[in-house]
Amino acid sequence: MDLKQLTYLLAVRDAGSFTRAANGLHVAQPAISMAIAKLEQQLELRLFDRQDRTVRLTPEGEVLCRHAERLLLQMHQAEAEMAELKGLERGEVRIGIPYMMGSYYFPPILMAFKHRYPGLKIRVEEAGSRELLSRMVDGTLDLAILITSDLPPALEGAQLLREEMLMVVGEEHPLRQVPAVSLTQFFGQELAMFRRGFYHREHMEALAQGLGCEPNIAFESNLIPLLKAVVKQGFAVTTFLRMVLDEETALTGVPFAPPIFLDLCVAWRRGDPLSMANRALRDFLLAQAQP
């Protein structure tokens, strides 16, 4: 039993004859007769009473027609939904973004994407890099912005942008006017840092370990506004990506010598086919990537 047979079944019922059903479907009348006969043979049931030039459903045929109506409706609904998804008129994207980038880089890009595809639902989750990695691997997220060098074998990614990491100081800090600072100078300060689980924090700790020193971390927080406030008040210094300091007049970013850059990528699970909606978001992000 297939959908074509069920379509012919309903057409004959509605038309009251095989000939009129064939004319309505623009197919040869023998094709419909053979399809119905084959269906009756498969089911071992008589579906129509054939009298002269008219046909009438048997009780068994009426039962099958009720099922056929539901199945064909579901098929049409599925086709319509697939067409909407193909046209990106419906669907959902799930992307994870590090805290620092969620506030300073992505809002205008995501709004532009939403403007292009208003029917798509965008679910954004902000978290630390380690948490985002975990959610990507377990399938909770479809896409994530991650450190390129940090990708495990289960993920693959495409380069999105390179951002410089800066030491950030308040207006009264003595290092505010210097052209660059060394890591030794930085680790000699009281520090306000993200909590563990953030690549930013772990990267700086790894650099400190390489120098054989222990960072003097006076404040820990995952809240960028709180870290900014601590630095503005002169209680500590911190590190942010350069993008965080745009239009921030009360804070100064001082480059490291040698400079420290983070390469960021948009990542997805290796070998896991993305939906059209997620592919559209990935390609849109890459189109905005810095040259």
Side-chain angles (χ1 to χ4, degrees), residues 22-136:
N23 291 336
L25 293 174
H26 304 289
V27 298
Q29 186 271 333
I32 291 185
S33 297
M34 292 176 60
I36 297 299
K38 184 177 180 181
L39 181 58
E40 290 178 322
Q41 291 173 1
Q42 291 172 335
L43 298 174
E44 298 182 352
L45 291 170
R46 191 162 51 89
L47 301 175
F48 288 102
D49 282 328
R50 297 161 175 83
Q51 297 179 355
D52 299 326
R53 295 186 178 182
T54 63
V55 293
R56 192 181 332 181
L57 284 171
T58 64
E60 295 80 6
E62 291 177 353
V63 171
L64 182 58
C65 279
R66 289 198 292 272
H67 288 290
E69 287 173 337
R70 287 196 294 269
L71 288 170
L72 290 172
L73 176 61
Q74 290 174 347
M75 180 193 72
H76 294 316
Q77 289 173 336
E79 289 176 341
E81 188 166 345
M82 292 301 103
E84 289 178 345
L85 293 173
K86 182 179 179 180
L88 296 175
E89 297 173 9
R90 291 181 56 191
E92 180 183 63
V93 296
R94 303 181 301 172
I95 184 168
I97 300 174
Y99 281 116
M100 199 175 299
M101 299 190 70
S103 300
Y104 298 95
Y105 179 77
F106 277 94
I109 294 177
L110 292 178
M111 291 307 98
F113 179 77
K114 180 66 174 176
H115 180 75
R116 178 176 294 185
Y117 303 108
L120 294 183
K121 179 180 178 181
I122 304 174
R123 196 178 92 193
V124 179
E125 295 191 21
E126 285 188 285
S129 298
R130 298 301 172 212
E131 179 65 21
L132 293 178
L133 275 171
S134 176
R135 294 184 191 181
M136 281 295 297

Side-chain angles (χ1 to χ4, degrees), residues 140-156:
T140 308
L141 292 171
D142 300 308
L143 299 169
I145 307 304
L146 299 170
I147 308 299
T148 304
S149 60
D150 211 29
L151 290 186
L155 303 180
E156 59 182 314

Side-chain angles (χ1 to χ4, degrees), residues 193-246:
M193 300 291 287
F194 285 106
R195 298 172 63 183
R196 283 195 170 92
F198 287 73
Y199 183 89
H200 205 82
R201 164 72 176 269
E202 294 176 0
H203 186 65
M204 297 310 293
E205 287 186 330
L207 292 174
Q209 186 177 13
L211 293 173
C213 64
E214 183 70 25
N216 179 16
I217 299 175
F219 294 90
E220 287 185 315
S221 176
N222 296 343
L223 301 175
I224 294 177
L226 180 56
L227 293 175
K228 283 185 174 182
V230 169
V231 175
K232 286 177 182 178
Q233 294 299 317
F235 293 117
V237 304
T238 190
T239 59
F240 286 144
L241 298 180
R242 184 178 289 277
M243 68 175 69
V244 177
L245 298 180
D246 288 345

Side-chain angles (χ1 to χ4, degrees), residues 217-283:
I217 299 175
F219 294 90
E220 287 185 315
S221 176
N222 296 343
L223 301 175
I224 294 177
L226 180 56
L227 293 175
K228 283 185 174 182
V230 169
V231 175
K232 286 177 182 178
Q233 294 299 317
F235 293 117
V237 304
T238 190
T239 59
F240 286 144
L241 298 180
R242 184 178 289 277
M243 68 175 69
V244 177
L245 298 180
D246 288 345
E247 301 180 4
E248 185 65 70
T249 58
L251 296 174
T252 298
V254 182
F256 288 98
I260 300 174
F261 292 96
L262 293 184
D263 290 313
L264 298 151
C265 68
V266 54
W268 59 94
R269 281 180 298 282
R270 189 179 299 276
D272 189 2
L274 290 170
S275 69
M276 287 194 67
N278 280 299
R279 290 202 305 273
L281 176 57
R282 179 195 63 188
D283 296 343

